Amino acid sequence: MKEKINELKELFSKRKTEAQTKEDIEALRLEFMGKKGHITTLMGDFRNVLGEQKREIGMMINSLKQEIEKTIEELKAKNEQKEMDKRLENDKKIDYTLPVEDGVGALNPRTILQKQIVDLFVSMGFTIEDGNEIETEYNNFDSVNVPATHPARDMQDTFWLDNGEVLKTQTSAAQNRILREHGPKCRVLFPGRCFRNEAVDATHENTFFQIEGVVVDENVSVSNLIYFMEEMLKGVLKKDVKVRLRPGFFPFTEPSFELDATCPLCAGKGCGACSHTGWLELCPCGMIHPNVLKEAGIDPEKYNGFAFGLGFDRLVMIKTGLDDIRHLNSENVKLLKQYGTKI
Ligand code: DAH
């Protein structure tokens, strides 16, 4: 038995010098330590060793086993280091400073246009705020004068969460918090992603973007509203557009309007894009309802204001000529990049 152990010791010394690669090392481990390996067989034979010799042979087997295990670990560590050095050496041949040509993604046309609109409103004294995507029922509906029984709640096909909260259906959901925080003299713009449980087609998405604004002060008038809207649309469409108001209905404004702009494609002469009317319906708006101001702790006897909720995806489509809203939520980088250049 002792002889056998010494033979294995020698065999291992020889074999370990031959193990060069990761695979060689694993083969060596299996040859000695595997289920059918030399050491396992040796341990089986050890059971037949009797009497006095048992202790000495046991110690010899153990020390050989430990030596093999230790050597294999060392071989593995050395090999990993060698491979790492090789990789680093190869990496040196790659020039990471070369400009990347393609495939790095693109800004969504929405992101580009939103930045332009934000800049414009900032230049007109607005503060920019963010809204939550998950909102309480109170913020989304009650606080903006949409009580439980109001038909507007059915109009909005809402994604309700199990805890009674909602995926915000409108940026107006942030009005109450913003008016509370900014107080009675404020100009705030709050863009945001909204969600409605709608069937999706070329002009409807269940996930879409709005840009909402509020202005509150003393003696705010509809003329002020028209002025801001006209400035914004001129800036965004880069055309000298005119706007007009038609009566509308929203629970959070009184009076409420639909704001149209002269079609930027035909300068109001009439074309396919504006159904030959010369006008494009762009932005619902109105004078903030006294109940909404009151609910936000603002005295409606002393202050008033206007609000608007721009259907932002539609504006992006008008600017870029994109004919399907679904592209805006796609990850088609090539297409988004192409349309981004049209903003
Ligand atoms: N929240 C409305 C909607 O999603 C849009 C809107 C209309 C917002 C009029 C306003 C407003 O602030 O004054 O349909």
Side-chain angles (χ1 to χ4, degrees):
M1 189 99 193
K2 281 186 194 165
E3 225 168 276
K4 177 87 186 148
I5 296 172
N6 286 330
E7 266 173 33
L8 282 178
K9 211 172 178 170
E10 252 170 60
L11 181 66
F12 183 74
S13 300
K14 186 165 164 270
R15 283 269 197 280
K16 78 176 180 194
T17 54
E18 294 163 359
Q20 297 295 329
T21 64
K22 200 170 153 190
E23 290 73 28
D24 294 344
I25 298 168
E26 179 58 10
L28 179 68
R29 190 188 69 79
L30 287 174
E31 185 185 345
F32 283 83
M33 309 298 291
K35 263 190 200 153
K36 289 181 185 154
H38 299 307
I39 298 295
T40 321
T41 315
L42 201 64
M43 304 274 255
D45 296 345
F46 177 65
R47 260 183 260 133
N48 305 325
V49 178
L50 296 170
E52 302 233 313
Q53 283 204 313
K54 207 163 180 159
R55 192 176 130 82
E56 194 191 347
I57 292 185
M59 277 166 60
M60 281 175 77
I61 295 177
N62 249 342
S63 95
L64 176 61
K65 191 174 159 221
Q66 278 168 11
E67 191 195 320
I68 292 176
E69 279 172 347
K70 193 170 145 240
T71 310
I72 286 181
E73 284 313 309
E74 284 169 3
L75 284 174
K76 272 191 194 166
K78 238 190 241 164
N79 185 264
E80 268 165 33
Q81 186 60 47
K82 207 168 76 188
E83 302 224 321
M84 171 74 84
D85 291 346
K86 213 170 24 184
R87 244 179 288 142
L88 288 175
E89 197 51 45
N90 280 339
D91 270 8
K92 279 191 199 154
K93 294 178 196 148
I94 301 170
D95 185 353
Y96 289 104
T97 62
L98 282 177
V100 182
E101 289 278 312
D102 216 355
V104 275
L107 287 180
N108 192 299
R110 235 176 346 214
T111 312
I112 303 171
L113 190 61
Q114 179 173 318
K115 189 170 178 318
Q116 287 180 13
I117 295 180
V118 162
D119 287 350
L120 246 157
F121 275 92
V122 166
S123 76
M124 295 194 283
F126 279 69
T127 304
I128 311 302
E129 281 276 5
D130 206 1
N132 304 322
E133 292 191 343
I134 294 177
E135 269 295 359
T136 58
E137 183 180 1
Y138 170 78
N139 278 341
N140 198 80
F141 294 118
D142 305 81
S143 75
V144 279
N145 204 35
V146 189
T149 52
H150 201 287
R153 287 210 199 206
D154 324 314
M155 267 158 51
Q156 321 224 18
D157 246 352
T158 305
F159 289 112
W160 289 91
L161 304 183
D162 288 344
N163 65 1
E165 295 188 328
V166 299
L167 293 187
K168 120 181 133 194
T169 65
Q170 50 182 357
T171 38
S172 311
Q175 272 198 26
N176 185 265
R177 180 178 58 82
I178 285 172
L179 291 176
R180 248 172 216 294
E181 278 173 15
H182 289 258
K185 288 185 178 235
C186 65
R187 298 175 181 189
V188 189
L189 191 79
F190 37 113
R193 194 196 326 248
C194 304
F195 309 87
R196 282 185 206 172
N197 192 3
E198 326 221 7
V200 172
D201 61 27
T203 52
H204 297 88
E205 248 292 7
N206 52 27
T207 304
F208 56 96
F209 283 72
Q210 293 183 333
I211 298 187
E212 182 129 350
V214 288
V215 168
V216 179
D217 211 317
E218 289 174 43
N219 303 317
V220 177
S221 69
V222 175
S223 312
N224 297 141
L225 165 63
I226 294 175
Y227 169 79
F228 278 106
M229 291 292 99
E230 226 166 39
E231 285 304 299
M232 188 265 286
L233 291 170
K234 273 187 210 163
V236 166
L237 298 171
K238 303 198 171 79
K239 296 256 162 76
D240 197 14
V241 289
K242 286 197 184 66
V243 301
R244 73 174 182 190
L245 296 181
R246 286 178 293 112
F249 170 76
F250 298 99
F252 21 86
T253 42
E254 181 56 38
S256 306
F257 308 108
E258 292 292 349
L259 184 137
D260 302 337
T262 41
C263 176
L265 301 176
C266 61
K269 288 191 194 83
C271 67
C274 57
S275 310
H276 302 281
T277 61
W279 294 94
L280 285 176
E281 183 177 323
L282 277 184
C283 184
C285 53
M287 302 306 288
I288 302 176
H289 197 291
N291 287 353
V292 174
L293 292 174
K294 224 185 288 170
E295 194 65 25
I298 295 176
D299 179 2
E301 299 291 331
K302 194 158 177 226
Y303 301 100
N304 70 342
F306 66 79
F308 59 89
L310 184 68
F312 185 46
D313 295 310
R314 185 162 143 69
L315 190 61
V316 174
M317 288 168 76
I318 290 166
K319 269 228 78 174
T320 56
L322 202 64
D323 61 356
D324 193 323
I325 191 172
R326 289 169 288 195
H327 291 312
L328 290 173
N329 287 348
S330 77
E331 280 152 23
N332 187 339
V333 175
K334 236 181 185 167
L335 182 139
L336 293 173
K337 204 179 231 174
Q338 181 190 338
Y339 280 88
T341 60
K342 300 184 181 187
I343 295 285

